[in-house]
Amino acid sequence: DAGITQSPRHKVTETGTPVTLRCHQTENHRYMYWYRQDPGHGLRLIHYSYGVKDTDKGEVSDGYSVSRSKTEDFLLTLESATSSQTSVYFCAISDHRADTQYFGPGTRLTVL
Amino acid sequence: AQSVAQPEDQVNVAEGNPLTVKCTYSVSGNPYLFWYVQYPNRGLQFLLKYITGDNLVKGSYGFEAEFNKSQTSFHLKKPSALVSDSALYFCAVREIQAAGNKLTFGGGTRVLVKP
C-alpha cells in the first residue's frame, strides 16, 4: 500500500459543528485529492492540491475547504457540518507524472 | 467534460467462469483509463491502467482490460473468477490534458462470485 494514512478513521458529529479530516502521506507526491463516496455516485472529487498552498475545487466543493501547508499533509474542513455530508471520505495521492492515483483507507463521517 | 458509465450495478458469476465488468467513457480528447477494486471497509486499490500502446492491458490478480476506441469502452475481464474477487469495481477516466489530472469515476459495479 502507498504510504497514506487518514485520521480519524471514524467520526460522529452533530449538525453545525466544524470537522477537520487529515490526510498524511510519506511518498513525497505532488498531487493530493479528497473524494467522497456515496452509494450510487461512485467517488466524487471535492478538492485537490497540486503543490504546497496550491489547491483547487472539484465537482462537489460546496461546504468544504482545504489546506496544504506541507507536502505531506492535506486537510479537509467542514466549516459547519450538515447531514448531507455524512459519507465516506477518501484521500488520494499521485506523483508528478500524475497518471495513477493511490488511495488512503478512508474516513467514515456521520453527521447527526 | 469527461464521464464514465458502468451500466451494471451488480454482476453475478460462478467461480471458475469468466468475469466481465463493463465500462464506457466519454472524453473530448485522448483518455487515460483506470480500474480500481474496493473490498469491504477498505480504500480503493489500483488494478490496471491504459495510457497508450497495446489495447490489451494486463494488471494485478489476473485481471485484464481491453481499450476499444471506436466503442469508447474499457471492459475489465478475468478468465476464471475466484470467490475472493467479490468486491466493488470502479472504472475511471481522465483526459490527458485535464486540469489537475482529475479523475472521473463511474458509479461502481458490485461483483459477486458464487462457489
Side-chain angles (χ1 to χ4, degrees):
Chain A
D1 289 346
I4 311 168
T5 57
Q6 293 185 232
S7 59
R9 294 293 314 278
H10 302 271
K11 185 171 182 66
V12 179
T13 190
E14 294 187 350
T15 297
T17 60
V19 176
T20 296
L21 309 182
R22 180 184 185 231
C23 177
H24 179 80
Q25 60 147 328
T26 58
E27 306 295 324
N28 199 35
H29 281 357
R30 176 183 176 186
Y31 294 89
M32 299 186 75
Y33 306 82
W34 276 109
Y35 293 88
R36 59 178 289 172
Q37 182 180 19
D38 304 290
H41 290 280
L43 276 78
R44 292 179 292 175
L45 182 66
I46 305 171
H47 282 280
Y48 67 98
S49 169
Y50 47 95
V52 173
K53 296 186 180 180
D54 292 323
T55 65
D56 205 349
K57 296 178 180 180
E59 64 176 304
V60 290
S61 59
D62 287 349
Y64 302 94
S65 62
V66 291
S67 66
R68 191 170 178 199
S69 60
K70 299 184 290 185
T71 298
E72 58 266 34
D73 289 326
F74 192 33
L75 303 181
L76 176 70
T77 297
L78 291 65
E79 301 290 346
S80 177
T82 67
S83 59
S84 64
Q85 294 176 311
T86 292
S87 187
V88 181
Y89 291 86
F90 288 100
C91 173
I93 65 174
S94 62
D95 65 16
H96 63 281
R97 294 169 301 172
D99 60 357
T100 302
Q101 293 184 18
Y102 296 96
F103 285 78
T107 294
R108 183 173 297 277
L109 175 67
T110 301
V111 183
L112 301 176
Chain B
Q2 53 195 38
S3 65
V4 177
Q6 294 181 241
E8 299 159 316
D9 289 337
Q10 181 161 325
V11 171
N12 298 316
V13 63
E15 188 174 31
N17 282 1
L19 169 63
T20 298
V21 186
K22 296 179 180 178
C23 171
T24 59
Y25 67 90
S26 175
V27 296
S28 57
N30 291 319
Y32 286 0
L33 293 154
F34 304 83
W35 277 102
Y36 289 85
V37 60
Q38 185 180 32
Y39 298 100
N41 300 312
R42 300 286 299 275
L44 275 70
Q45 295 181 25
F46 169 72
L47 275 179
L48 52 80
K49 64 184 177 186
Y50 171 82
I51 302 295
T52 187
D54 194 347
N55 289 344
L56 184 63
V57 178
K58 294 187 182 298
S60 307
Y61 313 120
F63 284 94
E64 59 187 28
E66 186 168 11
F67 171 62
N68 187 317
K69 188 172 183 178
S70 63
Q71 297 185 6
T72 61
S73 66
F74 189 57
H75 301 331
L76 181 70
K77 299 181 180 182
K78 187 172 183 179
S80 179
L82 301 172
V83 172
S84 57
D85 293 328
S86 298
L88 188 56
Y89 291 80
F90 291 98
C91 181
V93 68
R94 170 167 83 82
E95 291 183 31
I96 293 175
Q97 300 301 324
N101 303 311
K102 293 179 287 186
L103 289 179
T104 297
F105 285 84
T109 298
R110 189 167 300 280
V111 171
L112 179 60
V113 182
K114 298 181 179 179

